[in-house]
Amino acid sequence: MTESEPGSATARTVILTVDDDPGVSRAVARDLRRRYGGEHRIVRAETPAAALDALRELKLRGDLVAVILADYRMPDMNGIEFLEQAMDVYPSARRVLLTAYADTGAAIDAINVVDLDHYLLKPWDPPEEKLYPVVDDLLTAWLAADHKPVPETKVVGHRWSARCSEVREFLARNQVPYRWYPSDEPEGARLLAAAGADAMRLPLVVTPDGTALVEPDDQELASRVGLATSPAADFYDLVVIGGGPAGLGAAVYGASEGLRTVLVERTATGGQAGQSSRIENYLGFPDGVSGAQLTDRARRQAAKFGAELLTAREVTGLEVHGSGRTVRFADGTGVSAHTVLLATGVSYRRLDAAGLTELTGRGVYYGSALTEAPSCQGEDVYIVGGANSAGQAAVYLARGAKSVTLLVRGESLAASMSHYLIQQIENIPNISVRPFTEVVEAHGEDHLELLTLRDTRTGERETVAAHWLFVFIGAAPLTSWLEGVVDRDAAGFVLAGPDLAPGGQLPPGWPLERAPYHLETSVPGVFVAGDARAESAKRVASAVGEGAMAVMLVHRYLERL
């Protein structure tokens, strides 16, 4: 059974509580109604099934749910399982688990499983001290967020179009809700006709306000779906270039410490880590966290502290003018600051094999397993690479694929993949590893159809049927635009601190009397953090740490200006 406050207006937001103990259920509803009944509807349920039914009814009526409180110990479905299903109906509702002292371990685990906002120990008397402050904070946070239903962007395209794949990837990684319509299916054809668009010019993107965009580039797409693309000011304390873990970490710490901070990202925040289906060795997440979840939290955290985040802006140059540093964009515009942090990360190296370039985005993908995974259901999938990113993709794709084959040039995965991930792969029956194997050619007309594989020991070749190939090899730094400005090593990674001049000497051409700070490049006031730095650890945790350290060094630099 469910109940709400008598005479309550449907326009008011809802606080829902579920507990299988009738006495506790009534007590929770009573305490909530006493404090919040004037502005919110209080809905009570005594079973998870009844609560889910109530949530679905509210959803159909268009009502908003702000907070959900669920008891942990309930028959048929515990509180964590209930909150997982409730998230599918109202993902923005704040979630609270009611627990006994003996269940605090489960409550802590739920922080990772269902992104739990808080857990309350029963009893919570007096509510003025233990219940109301918690709910007050959750309601404030909920009201501050954009919790209104978000109209979907529509994308019409061809399954095997490289640009259509890129657009879907761009929207997904930037957390823009969209729905995909194949151009050769009835609804896709109807949208094309309504927009007066040509089926030969795809993709067609229809924004929530009804604007039709034909073959938009990333910057046009970003601006039309509500992403910021232009800086609000001309001058900042810190410009962060790159939105991976290092850049996001710097944006959070820079903005939270009062620096006027703007982050510039060419595609989507998160970097390579943001594309990971599951990161299980990041501190504080024992059950793992997806790259998208971690990125979304970091992005919201940076924005909360006042950092600006610009998307779809490609940086092409860095200029030094006295104490100012100017970052140039591809369109010739720029933004200036006292300091700059290079957090450009790395990209997956392109696989040098015949036919791959022509089929990229049409069955051959570089690091886009999350977006393409639904299309791989029941298919045979091949992955090139032996490091963690390849292993995480294999585990994720194996959930729906018929088979997943890891192609590794070396003897085994042990040389480059974490032990925990190797163990997972060994225990998944539809994942196999082929050592001493490389791809030498890809075949297909409008999409990938066949792969030619070669045994690196014997030279023997084999051709296999394949519609899906995901490549996760090597790390190429995105630093070519710094040529002639900032010192780099032979591979293109940025040199900083002691690596600029081993032995404690001042680097050649260094204009200051002091030595460069640890993350400072050959240009004073320009710092580097994360994977783009020479000799970096290439781990998410170290990248975040370097981003935070860079902000500390930025403060030190600014104090001496």
Side-chain angles (χ1 to χ4, degrees):
M1 294 290 292
T2 63
E3 66 179 27
S4 60
E5 183 186 7
S8 60
T10 57
R12 285 184 293 172
T13 55
V14 171
I15 300 174
L16 181 140
T17 175
V18 54
D19 195 307
D20 66 304
D21 184 325
V24 174
S25 179
R26 285 192 291 270
V28 177
R30 178 200 63 216
D31 288 341
L32 291 172
R33 191 172 294 120
R34 182 185 304 159
R35 175 66 170 258
Y36 306 105
E39 297 181 358
H40 302 272
R41 292 180 58 206
I42 310 303
V43 176
R44 178 175 71 88
E46 293 182 1
T47 68
L52 289 171
D53 287 342
L55 288 173
R56 295 185 187 106
E57 290 179 20
L58 293 166
K59 188 73 172 180
L60 289 173
R61 293 204 304 261
D63 293 338
L64 298 174
V65 175
V67 179
I68 300 173
L69 301 94
D71 183 42
Y72 173 65
R73 289 185 178 271
M74 295 186 290
D76 302 323
M77 184 188 302
N78 67 38
I80 298 175
E81 293 167 337
F82 164 76
L83 289 173
E84 280 190 283
Q85 295 193 35
M87 286 171 65
D88 292 335
V89 186
Y90 281 98
S92 64
R94 302 293 165 163
R95 295 170 286 279
V96 180
L97 195 66
L98 306 176
T99 69
Y101 183 81
D103 298 324
T104 54
I108 293 171
D109 289 341
I111 293 174
N112 294 316
V113 176
V114 295
D115 200 11
L116 191 70
D117 294 293
H118 204 89
Y119 66 90
L120 282 172
L121 294 177
K122 298 187 292 185
W124 53 82
D125 288 327
E128 290 77 7
E129 294 181 11
K130 297 183 178 180
L131 176 64
Y132 297 154
V134 171
V135 177
D136 285 346
D137 288 345
L138 294 178
L139 287 171
T140 299
W142 182 83
L143 287 169
D146 184 9
H147 49 263
K148 296 179 181 179
V150 180
E152 289 180 324
T153 295
K154 301 177 179 67
V155 180
V156 182
H158 192 278
R159 178 183 181 186
W160 299 116
S161 162
R163 181 55 186 158
C164 291
S165 176
E166 291 171 357
V167 165
R168 294 169 65 192
E169 181 87 358
F170 179 87
L171 294 173
R173 291 185 59 195
N174 281 292
Q175 307 291 314
V176 177
Y178 76 92
R179 179 165 294 187
W180 166 253
Y181 297 90
S183 58
D184 56 357
E185 294 186 1
E187 187 59 26
R190 281 192 286 269
L191 287 169
L192 285 171
D198 187 344
M200 300 301 293
R201 296 184 61 200
L202 297 174
L204 166 71
V205 179
V206 182
T207 63
D209 65 1
T211 303
L213 310 175
V214 178
E215 297 180 316
D217 60 26
D218 285 354
Q219 190 168 347
E220 180 186 11
L221 185 59
S223 62
R224 293 288 190 163
V225 298
L227 300 175
T229 59
S230 299
D234 295 325
F235 198 88
Y236 295 82
D237 294 315
L238 172 63
V239 174
V240 180
I241 305 174
L248 286 168
V252 168
Y253 282 95
S256 69
E257 294 173 13
L259 296 177
R260 293 169 297 168
T261 303
V262 60
L263 182 150
V264 181
E265 168 55 47
R266 66 172 188 160
T267 305
T269 50
Q272 284 189 341
Q275 295 175 275
S276 174
S277 58
R278 202 76 178 164
I279 303 171
E280 297 193 64
N281 58 352
Y282 187 65
L283 185 67
F285 291 87
D287 295 313
V289 61
S290 74
Q293 288 175 315
L294 192 62
T295 297
D296 181 57
R297 293 180 184 187
R299 181 171 49 224
R300 287 189 284 114
Q301 198 171 14
K304 180 185 78 170
F305 288 121
E308 288 183 43
L309 277 70
L310 308 184
T311 305
R313 296 309 299 263
E314 184 175 1
V315 175
T316 57
L318 176 63
E319 302 170 3
V320 179
H321 304 286
S323 62
R325 282 87 181 93
T326 299
V327 172
R328 289 291 174 200
F329 301 137
D331 63 359
T333 62
V335 61
S336 299
H338 288 301
T339 61
V340 172
L341 175 64
L342 307 173
T344 51
V346 295
S347 64
Y348 293 113
R349 294 187 186 277
R350 296 289 162 167
L351 191 58
D352 185 17
L356 285 181
T357 300
E358 295 79 4
L359 294 172
T360 296
R362 296 187 290 149
V364 177
Y365 303 94
Y366 289 85
S368 56
L370 286 175
T371 304
E372 299 297 332
S375 300
C376 297
Q377 297 290 316
E379 301 266 357
D380 296 315
V381 176
Y382 289 83
I383 296 176
V384 178
N388 280 8
S389 54
Q392 289 161 351
V395 171
Y396 182 74
L397 290 168
R399 299 175 185 175
K402 178 182 177 182
S403 70
V404 176
T405 304
L406 276 163
L407 306 176
V408 185
R409 287 177 57 90
E411 180 180 1
S412 70
L413 300 173
S416 53
M417 189 176 293
S418 296
H419 179 65
Y420 81 90
L421 202 48
I422 295 175
Q423 287 183 312
Q424 283 188 26
I425 288 171
E426 289 174 347
N427 291 322
I428 299 176
N430 61 334
I431 299 180
S432 61
V433 180
R434 286 187 56 160
F436 303 111
T437 303
E438 64 179 359
V439 176
V440 294
E441 190 169 0
H443 314 266
E445 293 297 327
D446 64 337
H447 64 90
L448 178 66
E449 297 174 11
L450 301 169
L451 287 174
T452 298
L453 310 178
R454 188 178 76 90
D455 189 309
T456 58
R457 297 165 298 180
T458 66
E460 182 179 348
R461 297 191 175 206
E462 175 189 2
T463 299
V464 297
H467 291 161
W468 303 96
L469 176 69
F470 296 91
V471 182
F472 300 86
I473 58 169
L478 302 170
T479 60
S480 59
W481 58 278
L482 292 166
E483 179 69 32
V485 181
V486 171
D487 289 353
R488 301 175 297 151
D489 66 13
F493 292 94
V494 177
L495 297 169
D499 291 329
L500 285 167
Q505 302 297 316
L506 294 181
W510 180 253
L512 304 180
E513 295 182 0
R514 64 167 178 83
Y517 297 134
H518 184 69
L519 299 178
E520 196 169 20
T521 71
S522 58
V523 177
V526 177
F527 300 83
V528 61
D531 290 358
R533 184 177 67 83
E535 305 300 326
S536 63
K538 307 296 187 291
R539 289 290 185 270
V540 175
S542 63
V544 173
E546 287 189 8
M549 182 191 297
V551 170
M552 178 191 73
L553 298 175
V554 164
H555 280 295
R556 190 178 300 176
Y557 173 84
L558 293 175
E559 289 167 359
R560 302 183 66 167
L561 276 182

PDB file of all heavy atoms in Angstrom, residues 395-418:
ATOM      1  N   VAL A 395      36.074  -7.430 -20.787  1.00  0.00           N
ATOM      2  CA  VAL A 395      35.140  -7.852 -19.734  1.00  0.00           C
ATOM      3  C   VAL A 395      33.765  -7.257 -19.983  1.00  0.00           C
ATOM      4  O   VAL A 395      32.737  -7.934 -19.843  1.00  0.00           O
ATOM      5  CB  VAL A 395      35.682  -7.431 -18.348  1.00  0.00           C
ATOM      6  CG1 VAL A 395      34.627  -7.655 -17.270  1.00  0.00           C
ATOM      7  CG2 VAL A 395      36.955  -8.204 -18.020  1.00  0.00           C
ATOM      8  N   TYR A 396      33.719  -5.995 -20.381  1.00  0.00           N
ATOM      9  CA  TYR A 396      32.443  -5.325 -20.613  1.00  0.00           C
ATOM     10  C   TYR A 396      31.717  -5.907 -21.824  1.00  0.00           C
ATOM     11  O   TYR A 396      30.522  -6.224 -21.759  1.00  0.00           O
ATOM     12  CB  TYR A 396      32.692  -3.829 -20.806  1.00  0.00           C
ATOM     13  CG  TYR A 396      31.437  -3.021 -21.003  1.00  0.00           C
ATOM     14  CD1 TYR A 396      30.588  -2.746 -19.940  1.00  0.00           C
ATOM     15  CD2 TYR A 396      31.093  -2.526 -22.257  1.00  0.00           C
ATOM     16  CE1 TYR A 396      29.432  -2.004 -20.113  1.00  0.00           C
ATOM     17  CE2 TYR A 396      29.942  -1.779 -22.448  1.00  0.00           C
ATOM     18  CZ  TYR A 396      29.119  -1.523 -21.369  1.00  0.00           C
ATOM     19  OH  TYR A 396      27.974  -0.796 -21.542  1.00  0.00           O
ATOM     20  N   LEU A 397      32.424  -6.069 -22.924  1.00  0.00           N
ATOM     21  CA  LEU A 397      31.796  -6.571 -24.144  1.00  0.00           C
ATOM     22  C   LEU A 397      31.357  -8.016 -24.015  1.00  0.00           C
ATOM     23  O   LEU A 397      30.393  -8.449 -24.657  1.00  0.00           O
ATOM     24  CB  LEU A 397      32.759  -6.415 -25.322  1.00  0.00           C
ATOM     25  CG  LEU A 397      33.024  -4.974 -25.778  1.00  0.00           C
ATOM     26  CD1 LEU A 397      34.197  -4.923 -26.741  1.00  0.00           C
ATOM     27  CD2 LEU A 397      31.784  -4.383 -26.427  1.00  0.00           C
ATOM     28  N   ALA A 398      32.054  -8.781 -23.174  1.00  0.00           N
ATOM     29  CA  ALA A 398      31.727 -10.200 -23.021  1.00  0.00           C
ATOM     30  C   ALA A 398      30.345 -10.423 -22.422  1.00  0.00           C
ATOM     31  O   ALA A 398      29.783 -11.518 -22.539  1.00  0.00           O
ATOM     32  CB  ALA A 398      32.782 -10.886 -22.146  1.00  0.00           C
ATOM     33  N   ARG A 399      29.759  -9.393 -21.816  1.00  0.00           N
ATOM     34  CA  ARG A 399      28.425  -9.545 -21.237  1.00  0.00           C
ATOM     35  C   ARG A 399      27.376  -9.854 -22.297  1.00  0.00           C
ATOM     36  O   ARG A 399      26.393 -10.535 -22.015  1.00  0.00           O
ATOM     37  CB  ARG A 399      28.029  -8.270 -20.487  1.00  0.00           C
ATOM     38  CG  ARG A 399      28.933  -7.911 -19.328  1.00  0.00           C
ATOM     39  CD  ARG A 399      28.527  -6.561 -18.745  1.00  0.00           C
ATOM     40  NE  ARG A 399      29.433  -6.121 -17.695  1.00  0.00           N
ATOM     41  CZ  ARG A 399      29.355  -4.943 -17.095  1.00  0.00           C
ATOM     42  NH1 ARG A 399      28.389  -4.089 -17.445  1.00  0.00           N
ATOM     43  NH2 ARG A 399      30.216  -4.599 -16.164  1.00  0.00           N
ATOM     44  N   GLY A 400      27.565  -9.322 -23.502  1.00  0.00           N
ATOM     45  CA  GLY A 400      26.555  -9.524 -24.531  1.00  0.00           C
ATOM     46  C   GLY A 400      27.058 -10.183 -25.792  1.00  0.00           C
ATOM     47  O   GLY A 400      26.268 -10.740 -26.562  1.00  0.00           O
ATOM     48  N   ALA A 401      28.367 -10.141 -26.023  1.00  0.00           N
ATOM     49  CA  ALA A 401      28.921 -10.701 -27.254  1.00  0.00           C
ATOM     50  C   ALA A 401      28.936 -12.223 -27.201  1.00  0.00           C
ATOM     51  O   ALA A 401      28.997 -12.833 -26.131  1.00  0.00           O
ATOM     52  CB  ALA A 401      30.333 -10.171 -27.480  1.00  0.00           C
ATOM     53  N   LYS A 402      28.886 -12.831 -28.372  1.00  0.00           N
ATOM     54  CA  LYS A 402      29.008 -14.286 -28.454  1.00  0.00           C
ATOM     55  C   LYS A 402      30.396 -14.715 -28.007  1.00  0.00           C
ATOM     56  O   LYS A 402      30.553 -15.683 -27.243  1.00  0.00           O
ATOM     57  CB  LYS A 402      28.748 -14.741 -29.889  1.00  0.00           C
ATOM     58  CG  LYS A 402      28.888 -16.238 -30.101  1.00  0.00           C
ATOM     59  CD  LYS A 402      28.662 -16.591 -31.569  1.00  0.00           C
ATOM     60  CE  LYS A 402      28.871 -18.084 -31.821  1.00  0.00           C
ATOM     61  NZ  LYS A 402      28.699 -18.397 -33.268  1.00  0.00           N
ATOM     62  N   SER A 403      31.419 -14.029 -28.491  1.00  0.00           N
ATOM     63  CA  SER A 403      32.793 -14.314 -28.079  1.00  0.00           C
ATOM     64  C   SER A 403      33.613 -13.032 -28.165  1.00  0.00           C
ATOM     65  O   SER A 403      33.318 -12.137 -28.953  1.00  0.00           O
ATOM     66  CB  SER A 403      33.422 -15.388 -28.977  1.00  0.00           C
ATOM     67  OG  SER A 403      33.649 -14.890 -30.274  1.00  0.00           O
ATOM     68  N   VAL A 404      34.646 -12.958 -27.340  1.00  0.00           N
ATOM     69  CA  VAL A 404      35.590 -11.845 -27.366  1.00  0.00           C
ATOM     70  C   VAL A 404      36.993 -12.433 -27.425  1.00  0.00           C
ATOM     71  O   VAL A 404      37.354 -13.264 -26.582  1.00  0.00           O
ATOM     72  CB  VAL A 404      35.456 -10.946 -26.113  1.00  0.00           C
ATOM     73  CG1 VAL A 404      36.521  -9.854 -26.128  1.00  0.00           C
ATOM     74  CG2 VAL A 404      34.070 -10.333 -26.035  1.00  0.00           C
ATOM     75  N   THR A 405      37.753 -12.016 -28.428  1.00  0.00           N
ATOM     76  CA  THR A 405      39.111 -12.528 -28.596  1.00  0.00           C
ATOM     77  C   THR A 405      40.104 -11.383 -28.461  1.00  0.00           C
ATOM     78  O   THR A 405      40.035 -10.396 -29.202  1.00  0.00           O
ATOM     79  CB  THR A 405      39.295 -13.189 -29.975  1.00  0.00           C
ATOM     80  OG1 THR A 405      38.326 -14.220 -30.136  1.00  0.00           O
ATOM     81  CG2 THR A 405      40.689 -13.787 -30.099  1.00  0.00           C
ATOM     82  N   LEU A 406      41.008 -11.509 -27.487  1.00  0.00           N
ATOM     83  CA  LEU A 406      42.067 -10.528 -27.291  1.00  0.00           C
ATOM     84  C   LEU A 406      43.275 -10.937 -28.121  1.00  0.00           C
ATOM     85  O   LEU A 406      43.801 -12.042 -27.972  1.00  0.00           O
ATOM     86  CB  LEU A 406      42.453 -10.453 -25.817  1.00  0.00           C
ATOM     87  CG  LEU A 406      41.610  -9.557 -24.912  1.00  0.00           C
ATOM     88  CD1 LEU A 406      41.850  -9.899 -23.448  1.00  0.00           C
ATOM     89  CD2 LEU A 406      41.945  -8.087 -25.152  1.00  0.00           C
ATOM     90  N   LEU A 407      43.710 -10.055 -29.008  1.00  0.00           N
ATOM     91  CA  LEU A 407      44.874 -10.308 -29.854  1.00  0.00           C
ATOM     92  C   LEU A 407      46.070  -9.578 -29.253  1.00  0.00           C
ATOM     93  O   LEU A 407      46.067  -8.348 -29.137  1.00  0.00           O
ATOM     94  CB  LEU A 407      44.616  -9.813 -31.275  1.00  0.00           C
ATOM     95  CG  LEU A 407      43.333 -10.345 -31.948  1.00  0.00           C
ATOM     96  CD1 LEU A 407      43.142  -9.702 -33.311  1.00  0.00           C
ATOM     97  CD2 LEU A 407      43.376 -11.867 -32.059  1.00  0.00           C
ATOM     98  N   VAL A 408      47.091 -10.347 -28.868  1.00  0.00           N
ATOM     99  CA  VAL A 408      48.238  -9.792 -28.151  1.00  0.00           C
ATOM    100  C   VAL A 408      49.517 -10.159 -28.896  1.00  0.00           C
ATOM    101  O   VAL A 408      49.730 -11.335 -29.227  1.00  0.00           O
ATOM    102  CB  VAL A 408      48.301 -10.340 -26.704  1.00  0.00           C
ATOM    103  CG1 VAL A 408      49.419  -9.662 -25.929  1.00  0.00           C
ATOM    104  CG2 VAL A 408      46.970 -10.153 -25.994  1.00  0.00           C
ATOM    105  N   ARG A 409      50.367  -9.182 -29.150  1.00  0.00           N
ATOM    106  CA  ARG A 409      51.615  -9.451 -29.860  1.00  0.00           C
ATOM    107  C   ARG A 409      52.610 -10.230 -29.008  1.00  0.00           C
ATOM    108  O   ARG A 409      53.418 -11.003 -29.518  1.00  0.00           O
ATOM    109  CB  ARG A 409      52.267  -8.133 -30.299  1.00  0.00           C
ATOM    110  CG  ARG A 409      51.560  -7.444 -31.449  1.00  0.00           C
ATOM    111  CD  ARG A 409      52.223  -6.121 -31.764  1.00  0.00           C
ATOM    112  NE  ARG A 409      53.647  -6.286 -32.084  1.00  0.00           N
ATOM    113  CZ  ARG A 409      54.113  -6.496 -33.315  1.00  0.00           C
ATOM    114  NH1 ARG A 409      53.279  -6.574 -34.337  1.00  0.00           N
ATOM    115  NH2 ARG A 409      55.406  -6.607 -33.523  1.00  0.00           N
ATOM    116  N   GLY A 410      52.558 -10.031 -27.700  1.00  0.00           N
ATOM    117  CA  GLY A 410      53.506 -10.678 -26.812  1.00  0.00           C
ATOM    118  C   GLY A 410      53.081 -12.073 -26.398  1.00  0.00           C
ATOM    119  O   GLY A 410      52.111 -12.653 -26.904  1.00  0.00           O
ATOM    120  N   GLU A 411      53.813 -12.592 -25.408  1.00  0.00           N
ATOM    121  CA  GLU A 411      53.599 -13.961 -24.957  1.00  0.00           C
ATOM    122  C   GLU A 411      52.326 -14.116 -24.150  1.00  0.00           C
ATOM    123  O   GLU A 411      51.661 -15.148 -24.176  1.00  0.00           O
ATOM    124  CB  GLU A 411      54.809 -14.399 -24.131  1.00  0.00           C
ATOM    125  CG  GLU A 411      54.728 -15.814 -23.593  1.00  0.00           C
ATOM    126  CD  GLU A 411      55.943 -16.197 -22.777  1.00  0.00           C
ATOM    127  OE1 GLU A 411      56.840 -15.339 -22.616  1.00  0.00           O
ATOM    128  OE2 GLU A 411      56.017 -17.334 -22.297  1.00  0.00           O
ATOM    129  N   SER A 412      51.963 -13.066 -23.369  1.00  0.00           N
ATOM    130  CA  SER A 412      50.794 -13.150 -22.498  1.00  0.00           C
ATOM    131  C   SER A 412      50.365 -11.742 -22.114  1.00  0.00           C
ATOM    132  O   SER A 412      50.956 -10.743 -22.554  1.00  0.00           O
ATOM    133  CB  SER A 412      51.114 -13.957 -21.240  1.00  0.00           C
ATOM    134  OG  SER A 412      52.007 -13.226 -20.404  1.00  0.00           O
ATOM    135  N   LEU A 413      49.346 -11.653 -21.253  1.00  0.00           N
ATOM    136  CA  LEU A 413      48.862 -10.371 -20.753  1.00  0.00           C
ATOM    137  C   LEU A 413      49.663  -9.867 -19.569  1.00  0.00           C
ATOM    138  O   LEU A 413      49.547  -8.699 -19.184  1.00  0.00           O
ATOM    139  CB  LEU A 413      47.390 -10.495 -20.340  1.00  0.00           C
ATOM    140  CG  LEU A 413      46.386 -10.904 -21.422  1.00  0.00           C
ATOM    141  CD1 LEU A 413      45.017 -11.138 -20.793  1.00  0.00           C
ATOM    142  CD2 LEU A 413      46.300  -9.844 -22.510  1.00  0.00           C
ATOM    143  N   ALA A 414      50.468 -10.719 -18.974  1.00  0.00           N
ATOM    144  CA  ALA A 414      51.115 -10.406 -17.698  1.00  0.00           C
ATOM    145  C   ALA A 414      52.024  -9.186 -17.767  1.00  0.00           C
ATOM    146  O   ALA A 414      52.203  -8.480 -16.769  1.00  0.00           O
ATOM    147  CB  ALA A 414      51.901 -11.613 -17.209  1.00  0.00           C
ATOM    148  N   ALA A 415      52.608  -8.927 -18.932  1.00  0.00           N
ATOM    149  CA  ALA A 415      53.577  -7.838 -19.025  1.00  0.00           C
ATOM    150  C   ALA A 415      52.949  -6.460 -18.904  1.00  0.00           C
ATOM    151  O   ALA A 415      53.629  -5.511 -18.493  1.00  0.00           O
ATOM    152  CB  ALA A 415      54.348  -7.948 -20.343  1.00  0.00           C
ATOM    153  N   SER A 416      51.670  -6.313 -19.244  1.00  0.00           N
ATOM    154  CA  SER A 416      51.091  -4.968 -19.305  1.00  0.00           C
ATOM    155  C   SER A 416      49.730  -4.821 -18.643  1.00  0.00           C
ATOM    156  O   SER A 416      49.202  -3.722 -18.560  1.00  0.00           O
ATOM    157  CB  SER A 416      50.966  -4.525 -20.770  1.00  0.00           C
ATOM    158  OG  SER A 416      50.263  -5.496 -21.515  1.00  0.00           O
ATOM    159  N   MET A 417      49.124  -5.908 -18.157  1.00  0.00           N
ATOM    160  CA  MET A 417      47.787  -5.827 -17.577  1.00  0.00           C
ATOM    161  C   MET A 417      47.832  -6.136 -16.088  1.00  0.00           C
ATOM    162  O   MET A 417      48.606  -6.972 -15.634  1.00  0.00           O
ATOM    163  CB  MET A 417      46.843  -6.818 -18.287  1.00  0.00           C
ATOM    164  CG  MET A 417      45.373  -6.657 -17.912  1.00  0.00           C
ATOM    165  SD  MET A 417      44.283  -7.780 -18.853  1.00  0.00           S
ATOM    166  CE  MET A 417      44.445  -7.113 -20.511  1.00  0.00           C
ATOM    167  N   SER A 418      46.973  -5.442 -15.310  1.00  0.00           N
ATOM    168  CA  SER A 418      46.919  -5.658 -13.865  1.00  0.00           C
ATOM    169  C   SER A 418      46.474  -7.076 -13.553  1.00  0.00           C
ATOM    170  O   SER A 418      45.640  -7.663 -14.249  1.00  0.00           O
ATOM    171  CB  SER A 418      45.950  -4.661 -13.214  1.00  0.00           C
ATOM    172  OG  SER A 418      46.411  -3.336 -13.359  1.00  0.00           O
TER     173      SER A 418
END
